Amino acid sequence: MSKQILLVEDNKVMQLLMTNKLSSRGYNVITALNGLEALAQLEKYPSIQLVLSDWMMPELNGIELCFHLKSPDYGRYIFFVLLSGRDDDDSIVEGINAGADDFVAKETNINELDARLTAGFRTLELHNQLVAKNIELDRAYATIHQDLDSANALIQRMLPSQTSFPGIELHYTHVPSAQIGGDMLGCMQLDEEHIAVYLFDVAGHGVASALMSFAIQQSISANSGTHSNVKRKKDTDPFYMLRDPSEVLSRLNQSYLSQDNNLYFTMVYAVLNIRNGTLTYASAGHPPMIWLQNRNQTAQFIQQDSFVAGMFDFASYKTEQVQLNHGDRLFLYSDGITEAESATKQQYSESALKQLVEDLAHQPANKQTEAIVNTVKAWCGIEQFDDDISLLAFEWKGN
């Protein structure tokens, strides 16, 4: 680091004397006769970061100069040493309160002055290194932020593009949180008679959760071939059979068991027979589905006690079945909705969501999911949820 100093001293004899002493110790000394001239010199020499200034000067004295250079509006970090013939305690306190980094009496010998200035340059070097590191961190953060935005955009593109299937009407709302998360939902036609719907939520936020979410989505959407998690090959026509929902979850659980991290996911996977309205399903520690029955406009939970997926190798899952009637709707959702908090830290809850589904039963299916999310958002009094919000609703229209 260049040992460049701005010496501000209105006494020309003292200025010349100190310049000679400092030059003999290897300092590159730039001079000014008062505070205003010092500001001009600092503008002329942007590399100067250490100022050694007299106290009593015309135009702009040392204390006023110090205030100016230590202002947050001044665009450069300056190590300021106040030089004065006054060495009483009150003067020192006044100088330090003005923002001075050090205080040196004029009669201080050159060895002590040299030591103090050397310490000042060490402080400047540490400061400049910190600034450089912060700039590097800002650039790295900007790159990471851009990558996360790209990842979020990729996740948005993975959401279902086809929502129209024979016999059912399907709608969803997905609102990502401020951080990249692990929510994902989907639907797919398995064959002429069956539609699969699913929603899963990987624990936590960040890149690891998002990558796991992406991998699980790929594992499910590949619904044909030797390694399909949703179909099993046969040697006779038809050359496949659908796997039970419990088997789908078991296969995913075994695929994503990990000893290296604590990532796991909850999930509900359901298969609807679009001809007769039979719904088979299995859950892996996921919040209960909500079944809105058309005939009486009442809602009830469809739930299972089960293990989360990706954590326990001994976990097993159970396939169960319900019979839908024409116009019945099923709601799959993430806990970002039910655990959303009000200003008083009260969670919205699953029971409140079930009641809301009943209250909004008169809404057309294509409006209901958005209305539910907006109602919860208004209840919380927020613009941005802390967690991902995923809500999928489908209505069986009958054969």
Side-chain angles (χ1 to χ4, degrees):
M1 185 175 185
S2 173
K3 296 172 67 174
Q4 196 173 32
I5 291 177
L6 174 62
L7 173 63
V8 190
E9 170 61 66
D10 63 323
N11 186 306
K12 292 187 177 181
V13 175
M14 180 61 71
Q15 183 188 97
L16 181 61
L17 178 63
M18 293 196 67
T19 299
N20 289 336
K21 287 183 178 181
L22 293 170
S23 298
S24 69
R25 295 300 178 101
Y27 293 100
N28 177 17
V29 183
I30 310 297
T31 60
L33 290 172
N34 56 58
L36 291 179
E37 191 174 318
L39 293 175
Q41 292 288 57
L42 287 170
E43 186 174 353
K44 181 179 179 181
Y45 298 96
S47 59
I48 296 177
Q49 284 190 276
L50 194 147
V51 174
L52 180 61
S53 175
D54 189 15
W55 185 312
M56 304 303 296
M57 297 180 297
E59 303 290 345
L60 192 71
N61 66 36
I63 291 291
E64 293 167 338
L65 175 63
C66 184
F67 269 123
H68 185 87
L69 298 182
K70 290 297 185 177
S71 166
D73 298 329
Y74 194 73
R76 192 188 324 175
Y77 179 75
I78 298 291
F79 191 90
F80 195 94
V81 181
L82 199 56
L83 183 67
S84 176
R86 302 160 61 185
D87 59 354
D88 59 278
D89 291 342
D90 290 341
S91 298
I92 295 174
V93 169
E94 185 180 358
I96 298 299
N97 285 340
D101 298 287
D102 202 355
F103 184 94
V104 179
K106 282 189 175 181
E107 61 269 22
T108 300
N109 66 67
I110 187 59
N111 291 328
E112 181 181 342
L113 180 59
D114 186 21
R116 287 174 180 257
L117 295 178
T118 299
F121 277 107
R122 282 199 301 269
T123 300
L124 282 172
E125 184 173 8
L126 290 173
H127 170 82
N128 293 339
Q129 288 176 357
L130 181 61
V131 169
K133 292 294 183 184
N134 284 337
I135 291 173
E136 291 179 12
L137 287 173
D138 287 343
R139 289 173 179 165
Y141 175 78
T143 300
I144 292 172
H145 187 71
Q146 183 178 8
D147 290 345
L148 290 177
D149 285 344
S150 299
N152 258 328
L154 176 61
I155 288 175
Q156 293 298 311
R157 290 198 296 271
M158 291 169 60
L159 293 167
S161 57
Q162 181 183 359
T163 57
S164 177
F165 298 92
I168 73 167
E169 182 179 347
L170 184 145
H171 303 279
Y172 66 87
T173 299
H174 178 79
V175 183
S177 66
Q179 306 178 59
I180 185 172
D183 273 20
M184 181 53 61
L185 55 85
C187 57
M188 55 188 171
Q189 187 155 7
L190 300 176
D191 57 26
E192 291 183 355
E193 294 187 0
H194 297 92
I195 302 292
V197 294
Y198 58 88
L199 193 151
F200 61 85
D201 183 2
V202 180
H205 298 93
V207 175
S209 297
L211 287 175
M212 187 171 182
S213 177
F214 179 83
I216 296 169
Q217 173 75 343
Q218 296 301 105
S219 298
I220 302 169
S221 59
N223 64 5
S224 61
T226 305
H227 302 293
S228 172
N229 285 301
V230 299
K231 293 180 180 179
R232 185 188 302 114
K233 291 191 69 175
K234 290 170 52 183
D235 294 329
T236 57
D237 189 19
F239 295 102
Y240 68 90
M241 62 182 298
L242 300 182
R243 298 185 189 275
D244 283 344
S246 58
E247 185 183 358
V248 173
L249 294 185
S250 293
R251 289 173 65 88
L252 292 174
N253 177 61
Q254 293 299 322
S255 296
Y256 292 97
L257 286 173
S258 174
Q259 304 298 322
D260 301 328
N261 55 54
N262 293 320
L263 285 180
Y264 62 88
F265 60 99
T266 66
M267 182 173 182
V268 60
Y269 178 82
V271 177
L272 174 68
N273 185 312
I274 59 177
R275 296 192 187 278
N276 60 26
T278 301
L279 183 80
T280 56
Y281 63 93
S283 175
H286 200 78
M289 292 185 289
I290 298 175
W291 179 10
L292 178 62
Q293 297 177 335
N294 183 46
R295 65 175 180 267
N296 54 16
Q297 295 292 284
T298 59
Q300 67 181 66
F301 287 128
I302 300 177
Q303 57 190 343
Q304 290 181 336
D305 292 328
S306 55
F307 292 102
V308 298
M311 180 170 285
F312 306 111
D313 58 1
F314 56 81
S316 62
Y317 304 95
K318 180 171 58 175
T319 297
E320 294 185 317
Q321 180 176 297
V322 295
Q323 179 61 52
L324 302 186
N325 293 306
H326 293 190
D328 284 1
R329 297 177 189 174
L330 260 294
F331 295 82
L332 288 65
Y333 54 93
S334 64
D335 61 9
I337 296 178
T338 54
E339 294 181 0
E341 293 184 344
S342 66
T344 59
K345 300 301 180 182
Q346 178 185 356
Q347 292 189 345
Y348 193 73
S349 81
E350 293 168 359
S351 60
L353 179 60
K354 181 167 74 72
Q355 184 61 52
L356 181 59
V357 167
E358 285 189 0
D359 294 343
L360 296 175
H362 62 282
Q363 292 265 9
N366 63 340
K367 301 290 186 182
Q368 194 174 13
T369 59
E370 185 178 354
I372 289 171
V373 171
N374 288 337
T375 301
V376 176
K377 185 182 293 186
W379 180 86
C380 295
I382 56 174
E383 291 297 324
Q384 178 75 51
F385 287 101
D386 292 333
D387 197 2
D388 292 346
I389 297 295
S390 295
L391 175 65
L392 183 151
F394 67 91
E395 178 179 327
W396 183 52
K397 296 291 191 179
N399 183 14

